[in-house]
């Protein structure tokens, strides 16, 4: 079966902006020449150019490297405590495959046929799959911006909820080196380091690494290893070339984890439901054990649950400043994601619902952009285009009350867009902004062979898929009863 869909979009936007004083979270410092305090300027790239946050007519939360350090932000999960309307949580797969939400906009799925409502950009490259983001978002990061609300005129890729924009530290002309060791409860051990080395006056390189281990925060009442442990390793390398009007920066990064993944906790069971009847009251007994044991422990019939992730990326951003004042920018990127996961959905030691999901994906993108201003800065403009392509294989092996069903498919997602925006600075505090964007998305899905590591020779048996979906709708999420199961997010024992 081959399904494809093509969508053409044309959007035009015009707005009149009146600049008013804004309250922003800014870094503060003490002026050596006076006893007063001063507010440092917050610089963002929410409109694909460097400008003060107070000049941006958008809802943006921004944090620089110093703010991230002061706030104790060690992973992307810590960002939500410092950013209103932004939430990030572990998915049903595990903490290395997070869900992002802005103003309630979130897609509760991570399959290749669905794009997230909150787009992620790392060094201006759109990231389709967020595996490993919890670590990579704050590894050697220069700035982090949360753009709230629909984006698209200048960001090319569709997004309905907002965007998380991450800029890594670029190599500089001063030697720097640092290391940090952290330990905590549950035998947490985290080591990280970075170094910046100038080679010549036109070449500098930089590197950063992090490794973290921690025992499980959710225990197995049957004496197993538990879930939500940490075993992460990540690195990032960069090199910057600078020749007068030309500048080019390369970034390479990688992330690996091999942990116990996620689990579920029973919150309600229908005594007359199929799950309880087939297990001869086993689900009701499991619920009683869950209620007696508490929230920090649960059980599972799967002994080898896991979340294994490997991601690797390479990108380049190059700019050239022409003599006539026009700046040309090229942004290129490639990324590979390999996810292997197995987890229990019923929160009991009965064989009710469990999933094995191997996923492989590759993406590539190319963006060309031009920026300048007219009439001595009275009007500034940006035009550009983006090409994006993603290919991958997604497989699902589900067990439902002893019934096994398999599904596998290959996808190809393509997107190309052209955009332009201009701002007329009528007065110091009055601006007129217009924008135009055209996007063409093409998606295809083909039922095919399983991804490597699925453990199945064929994934064309769909006989149990309708039963699985019906069970999820009618038993787990009954409209007339509370949810039968709730998923445990990242909760650590204190």
């Amino acid at each position: 079966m081959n399904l494809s869909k093509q969508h053409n979009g044309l959007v035009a936007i015009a707005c009149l902006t009146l600049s008013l004083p804004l309250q922003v979270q800014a870094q503060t410092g003490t002026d050596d020449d006076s006893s007063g305090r001063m507010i440092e300027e917050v610089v963002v790239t929410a409109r694909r150019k460097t400008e003060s946050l107070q000049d941006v007519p958008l809802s943006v939360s921004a944090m620089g490297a110093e703010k991230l350090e002061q706030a104790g932000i060690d992973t992307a999960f810590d960002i939500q405590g410092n950013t209103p309307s932004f939430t990030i949580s572990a998915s049903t797969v595990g903490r290395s495959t997070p869900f992002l939400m802005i103003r309630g906009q979130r897609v509760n799925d991570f399959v290749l046929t669905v794009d997230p409502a909150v787009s992620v950009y790392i060094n201006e490259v759109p990231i389709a799959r967020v595996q490993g983001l919890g670590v990579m978002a704050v590894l050697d990061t220069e700035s982090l911006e949360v753009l709230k609300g629909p984006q698209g005129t200048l960001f090319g890729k569709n997004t309905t909820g907002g965007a998380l924009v991450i800029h890594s530290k670029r190599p500089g002309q001063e030697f720097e080196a640092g290391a940090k060791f952290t330990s905590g409860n549950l035998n947490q051990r985290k080591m990280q380091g970075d170094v910046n080395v100038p080679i010549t006056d036109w070449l500098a390189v930089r590197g950063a690494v992090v490794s973290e281990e921690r025992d499980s925060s959710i225990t197995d009442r049957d004496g197993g290893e538990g879930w939500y442990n940490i075993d992460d390793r990540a690195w990032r390398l960069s090199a910057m070339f600078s020749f007068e009007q030309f500048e080019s920066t390369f970034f390479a990064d990688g992330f690996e984890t091999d942990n116990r993944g996620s689990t579920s906790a029973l919150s309600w069971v229908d005594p007359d439901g199929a799950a309880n009847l087939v297990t001869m009251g086993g689900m009701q007994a499991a619920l009683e054990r869950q209620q007696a044991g508490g929230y920090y422990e649960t059980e599972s019939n799967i002994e080898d649950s896991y979340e294994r992730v490997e991601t690797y990326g390479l990108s380049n951003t190059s700019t050239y400043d022409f003599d006539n004042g026009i700046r040309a920018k090229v942004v290129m990127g490639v990324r590979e994601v390999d996810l292997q996961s197995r987890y229990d959905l019923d929160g009991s030691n009965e064989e009710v619902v469990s999933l094995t999901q191997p996923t492989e994906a590759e993406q590539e993108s190319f963006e060309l952009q031009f920026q300048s201003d007219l009439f001595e800065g009275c009007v500034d403009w940006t035009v550009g285009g983006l090409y994006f392509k993603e290919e991958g294989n997604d497989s699902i092996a589900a067990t439902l009350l002893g019934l096994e069903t398999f599904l596998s498919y290959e996808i190809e997602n393509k997107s190309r867009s052209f955009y332009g925006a201009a701002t007329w600075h009528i007065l110091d505090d009055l601006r007129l902004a217009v924008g135009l964007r055209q996007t063409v998305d093409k998606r295809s899905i083909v039922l095919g062979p399983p991804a490597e590591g699925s453990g199945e020779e064929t994934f064309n048996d769909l006989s149990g898929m309708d039963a699985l979906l019906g069970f999820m709708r009618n038993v787990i999420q009954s409209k007339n009863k509370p949810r039968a199961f709730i998923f445990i997010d990242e909760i650590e024992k204190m």
Side-chain angles (χ1 to χ4, degrees):
M1 181 171 62
N2 189 338
L3 303 176
S4 64
K5 182 178 181 179
Q6 182 167 318
H7 173 71
N8 293 267
L10 182 63
V11 179
I13 301 174
C15 63
L16 189 65
T17 304
L18 179 64
S19 296
L20 296 174
L22 300 176
Q23 290 184 343
V24 299
Q25 291 181 334
Q27 299 174 4
T28 60
T30 302
D31 193 341
D32 295 337
D33 298 329
S34 66
S35 59
R37 296 173 63 87
M38 65 179 183
I39 298 178
E40 296 181 4
E41 184 181 40
V42 179
V43 177
V44 297
T45 59
R47 295 194 294 178
R48 306 301 303 276
K49 59 183 179 180
T50 301
E51 55 188 336
S52 172
L53 179 59
Q54 290 193 342
D55 294 332
V56 178
L58 303 172
S59 179
V60 182
S61 294
M63 290 179 285
E66 185 176 349
K67 175 65 175 179
L68 293 172
E69 179 72 20
Q70 292 175 349
I73 296 178
D74 292 326
T75 71
F77 296 96
D78 300 325
I79 299 173
Q80 57 191 337
N82 296 267
T83 305
S85 305
F86 176 78
T87 302
I88 178 171
S89 60
S91 68
T92 53
V93 172
R95 65 190 305 276
S96 297
T97 306
F99 286 145
L100 279 67
M101 179 172 66
I102 295 179
R103 294 176 174 174
Q105 295 291 315
R106 185 177 88 171
V107 175
N108 292 325
D109 212 335
F110 52 87
V111 294
L112 299 181
T113 54
V114 177
D115 282 340
V118 178
S119 295
V120 177
Y121 290 80
I122 299 180
N123 300 316
E124 300 191 71
V125 176
I127 306 300
R129 307 302 150 195
V130 296
Q131 279 78 12
L133 181 67
V135 175
M136 300 304 296
V138 294
L139 176 61
D140 205 33
T141 297
E142 179 64 29
S143 67
L144 188 149
E145 304 168 22
V146 177
L147 315 184
K148 303 169 185 178
Q151 311 293 317
T153 301
L154 291 176
F155 276 91
K157 197 90 172 78
N158 283 319
T159 175
T160 56
L164 176 63
V165 181
I166 301 163
H167 293 281
S168 304
K169 291 183 179 179
R170 300 193 303 170
Q173 286 299 317
E174 294 184 5
F175 176 82
E176 298 177 357
K180 183 179 179 181
F181 176 80
T182 305
S183 63
N185 62 334
L186 299 177
N187 293 320
Q188 181 198 28
R189 302 172 302 279
K190 182 175 183 180
M191 296 176 289
Q192 53 188 332
D194 60 81
V195 62
N196 183 91
V197 181
I199 307 298
T200 67
D201 58 354
W202 52 268
L203 171 63
V205 296
R206 186 178 183 91
V209 296
V210 62
S211 176
E212 183 177 11
E213 296 180 1
R214 194 204 66 192
D215 294 342
S216 300
S217 59
I218 303 299
T219 59
D220 184 352
R221 68 170 57 97
D222 295 325
E225 297 182 35
W227 300 271
Y228 289 106
N229 67 311
I230 298 177
D231 188 4
D232 298 342
R233 295 158 300 281
W235 55 270
R236 176 173 283 124
L237 299 174
S238 57
M240 185 173 71
F241 302 83
S242 181
F243 302 95
E244 296 181 353
Q245 297 167 280
F246 175 77
E247 184 176 281
S248 182
T249 306
F250 289 86
F251 292 96
D253 60 64
F255 170 83
E256 298 179 4
T257 187
D258 186 355
N259 61 72
R260 287 276 297 165
S262 68
T263 188
S264 304
L266 277 174
S267 62
W268 175 84
V269 170
D270 183 357
D272 299 322
N276 194 50
L277 294 178
V278 171
T279 60
M280 302 181 66
M283 294 301 293
Q284 185 66 38
L287 175 61
E288 294 173 359
R289 292 192 296 270
Q290 179 66 50
Q291 293 172 339
Y295 193 67
Y296 291 106
E297 67 176 46
T298 185
E299 61 187 55
S300 173
N301 67 298
I302 298 179
E303 297 182 358
D304 61 339
S305 64
Y306 54 81
E307 181 193 27
R308 301 165 185 157
V309 177
E310 293 185 7
T311 68
Y312 302 99
L314 177 65
S315 67
N316 172 262
T317 300
S318 298
T319 60
Y320 185 84
D321 295 319
F322 292 93
D323 294 335
N324 59 5
I326 296 178
R327 163 169 284 197
K329 178 188 291 186
V330 174
V331 181
M332 300 177 289
V334 295
R335 182 165 293 271
E336 296 182 359
V337 174
D338 185 353
L339 167 65
Q340 307 287 332
S341 63
R342 176 172 169 79
Y343 51 98
D344 187 13
L345 282 175
D346 55 75
S348 75
N349 53 21
E350 303 288 344
E351 190 176 284
V352 180
V353 183
S354 62
L355 294 178
T356 301
Q357 289 186 264
T359 299
E360 300 170 348
E362 298 179 358
Q363 71 165 68
E364 59 185 52
S365 62
F366 178 87
E367 183 174 10
L368 177 62
Q369 184 184 104
F370 296 93
Q371 290 183 343
S372 188
D373 58 68
L374 302 171
F375 312 116
E376 298 182 350
C378 184
V379 177
D380 58 69
W381 56 269
T382 301
V383 297
L386 169 70
Y387 172 79
F388 178 89
K389 179 181 178 181
E390 180 185 29
E391 295 179 327
N393 184 292
D394 221 347
S395 301
I396 302 175
T399 300
L400 170 62
L401 298 175
L403 173 66
E404 294 185 353
T405 183
F406 314 107
L407 171 66
S408 181
Y409 53 87
E410 295 179 349
I411 63 94
E412 183 179 75
N413 300 328
K414 291 183 178 180
S415 177
R416 67 177 185 270
S417 61
F418 302 94
Y419 58 86
T423 301
W424 176 22
H425 300 267
I426 303 173
L427 299 173
D428 290 342
D429 295 330
L430 183 63
R431 298 185 297 271
L432 176 65
V434 296
L436 179 68
R437 167 175 166 249
Q438 183 183 41
T439 299
V440 178
D441 287 337
K442 184 178 180 180
R443 299 173 178 269
S444 63
I445 176 172
V446 180
L447 292 181
E452 183 179 353
S454 64
E456 299 295 339
E457 296 181 357
T458 175
F459 266 60
N460 294 325
D461 179 9
L462 307 181
S463 58
M465 190 56 61
D466 289 339
L468 173 65
L469 296 177
F471 179 83
M472 298 291 283
R473 294 191 188 101
N474 300 326
V475 179
I476 294 183
Q477 296 183 1
S478 172
K479 294 182 180 179
N480 301 321
K481 300 182 178 68
R483 291 183 57 136
F485 310 111
I486 60 172
F487 298 122
I488 299 177
D489 285 338
E490 177 68 5
I491 301 177
E492 299 183 15
K493 291 182 179 179
M494 302 301 293

